[in-house]
Amino acid sequence: MIKHSEPISMTSGNVDELPSPTGFSKRPRVMRFYNTPRIIGRMSVVGEKESKGPVGKYFHKCETDDKMGEKTFERAEIRMFDTAVRGAVRDARLKIDDIDVMISGDLLNQMTTSSYAARDIGVPHIGIYGACSTMTEGLMLSATLVDAGYFTNIVCAASSHFATAERQFRYPLEYGCQRPPYAQWTVTGAGASVVSKNTKENERFPKIVMAIPGLITDYGINDLNNMGAAMAPAAMDTMFTLLTQSGFNADDFDMIVTGDLGKLGSDILRQLMLDRGIKLGQNYIDCGNIIYDVEQKCYQGGSGCACSATIFNSFIMDKLMSGEYKRIAYLATGALMSSQSCYQGETIPCISHAVVVESPFLGEK
């Protein structure tokens, strides 16, 4: 971890002197969307555990059976994903035939969930893998394609399931392996957004005005359970870029939202940002830190593609639609290890992509 004896002022001219063990990129990375694509539909589906958390009342559909009537957890995740995508399209008052392309991903090998769901949904599919950063990656790519005029309606989605992720990355549930206190709980859920061309009819919906592609960071963490510590530097890199290249400072956002750092990871991020001269205040939250209540005993909180995807498409979008939030920065984070890399001694490369979304009521009193 980078340490400094005192915070460095962002106006002191000392930014270039900051040590950067992962090669902090000073190249321009801000993507501005001048045609401001709109998010006109969304859907969030979660499991029973997630529905009982602090933001449970905001989710659109809550499943009470982790297998959802299917024979396997993997099939259950596919069903959940399909439900979220079709629900987002309905919410946009569109039909599946109106969707030009789907951009989606999940945690399973070869993007099993999204690929099999895309087979059944029947629209052109661009599969992406950003681990837990997949939702912001999907929003960024969707906004880019719509802003450039290539497509009119794109649905982007992400999912994860506690049982499928544990089986792939750690141990099957039947093994009964104990979890260390710094571990997080993979969220069972799926979230989807419909990103559409900015038209007169769509002006009442939140707009994506900016995005920042992430830079791979690796601070040497190789513990598969310590996701918060591994991903915090990636969030720091993208957040620092946002706050130094976009023209916005931290106070210009009603909420700065990271994906799934959990309690430990978000505390580390606060310190890393402070080391770079930026103090995060009460307008910073982490989805992994708010999706479960402390009494649910999920250790450091939530993780997984669905952690931020479900909260963004419910709680955050509700606040943007009502005008309670005028502008938010959404930075999901992903740990890009494979199921075998850490067992072979590799450390965990991580990434964080960001999108800035504004309410249709921005500027109104």
Side-chain angles (χ1 to χ4, degrees):
M1 185 184 297
I2 307 172
K3 291 186 179 295
H4 303 287
S5 57
E6 57 185 87
I8 296 176
S9 170
M10 296 308 298
T11 59
S12 67
N14 292 333
V15 175
D16 290 341
E17 301 172 10
L18 288 171
S20 303
T22 58
F24 176 79
S25 173
K26 302 176 183 65
R27 72 185 67 189
R29 287 161 59 191
V30 175
M31 304 164 60
R32 301 180 191 274
F33 302 122
Y34 296 102
N35 296 320
T36 57
R38 303 280 173 157
I39 302 175
I40 68 168
R42 68 290 186 4
M43 175 78 172
S44 59
V45 184
V46 298
E48 184 176 20
K49 193 178 192 73
E50 291 71 22
S51 70
K52 295 179 178 178
V55 291
K57 65 181 181 180
Y58 293 95
F59 298 129
H60 300 107
K61 185 174 183 180
C62 302
E63 301 283 357
T64 57
D65 174 15
D66 284 344
K67 283 191 175 178
M68 299 163 206
E70 301 288 344
K71 292 183 178 180
T72 67
F73 292 118
E74 286 76 13
R75 285 298 315 173
E77 186 175 343
I78 294 170
R79 178 173 174 176
M80 209 169 37
F81 186 102
D82 185 278
T83 300
V85 169
R86 294 182 188 275
V89 173
R90 281 196 304 272
D91 186 55
R93 297 185 179 181
L94 298 174
K95 298 178 181 179
I96 291 295
D97 289 343
D98 297 320
I99 301 299
D100 299 307
V101 68
M102 181 169 76
I103 300 176
S104 65
D106 54 88
L107 290 179
L108 300 189
N109 288 335
Q110 290 79 49
M111 296 177 295
T112 300
T113 303
S114 55
S115 297
Y116 277 67
R119 176 193 64 182
D120 299 333
I121 292 169
V123 298
H125 180 228
I126 299 174
I128 57 175
Y129 185 80
C132 305
S133 71
T134 297
M135 194 66 213
T136 46
E137 185 176 359
L139 288 169
M140 175 177 65
L141 294 175
S142 299
T144 301
L145 292 171
V146 170
D147 187 68
Y150 291 110
F151 298 111
T152 300
N153 300 308
I154 298 178
V155 62
C156 57
S159 71
S160 57
H161 193 297
F162 175 74
T164 64
E166 289 298 304
R167 175 152 48 202
Q168 176 169 298
F169 289 105
R170 297 178 185 89
Y171 300 97
L173 301 185
E174 296 85 352
Y175 184 73
C177 182
Q178 290 208 337
R179 305 164 68 83
Y182 51 81
Q184 293 170 247
W185 195 276
T186 303
V187 169
T188 296
S193 304
V194 175
V195 179
S196 295
K197 182 179 179 179
N198 187 8
T199 63
K200 186 71 175 178
E201 294 76 16
N202 291 340
E203 287 181 352
R204 60 191 177 93
F205 295 101
K207 57 186 177 180
I208 304 174
V209 299
M210 188 179 296
I212 297 175
L215 180 73
I216 296 286
T217 68
D218 189 339
Y219 273 39
I221 303 295
N222 60 5
D223 186 341
L224 285 170
N225 287 295
N226 203 357
M227 293 292 94
M231 294 187 293
M236 175 272 292
D237 176 271
T238 301
M239 189 179 294
F240 185 77
T241 300
L242 172 67
L243 298 178
T244 56
Q245 293 188 11
S246 68
F248 294 127
N249 60 45
D251 294 334
D252 291 324
F253 297 96
D254 294 286
M255 197 61 65
I256 299 174
V257 185
T258 51
D260 52 354
L261 299 179
K263 178 63 170 64
L264 175 62
S266 54
D267 286 346
I268 293 173
L269 174 61
R270 285 183 181 275
Q271 184 60 53
L272 287 172
M273 292 300 291
L274 188 61
D275 288 343
R276 287 187 173 273
I278 300 174
K279 184 176 181 179
L280 297 178
Q282 293 184 348
N283 66 334
Y284 165 63
I285 62 170
D286 178 74
C287 295
N289 205 17
I290 66 171
I291 196 165
Y292 298 123
D293 188 272
V294 65
E295 295 181 356
Q296 291 181 281
K297 298 180 180 179
C298 293
Y299 304 92
Q300 296 300 320
S303 67
C305 295
C307 183
S308 69
T310 55
I311 289 179
F312 174 78
N313 285 295
S314 56
F315 172 71
I316 300 297
M317 280 291 292
D318 281 2
K319 301 294 185 182
L320 287 167
M321 286 292 291
S322 69
E324 184 174 344
Y325 292 169
K326 298 299 197 312
R327 180 186 295 119
I328 67 104
Y330 169 32
L331 304 87
T333 48
L336 303 178
M337 74 287 185
S338 75
S339 57
Q340 294 300 316
S341 57
C342 289
Y343 297 123
Q344 296 172 0
E346 293 285 351
T347 53
I348 302 174
C350 297
I351 198 163
S352 175
H353 305 291
V355 290
V356 175
V357 185
E358 293 180 352
S359 168
F361 302 106
L362 182 67
E364 297 185 10
K365 295 183 179 179

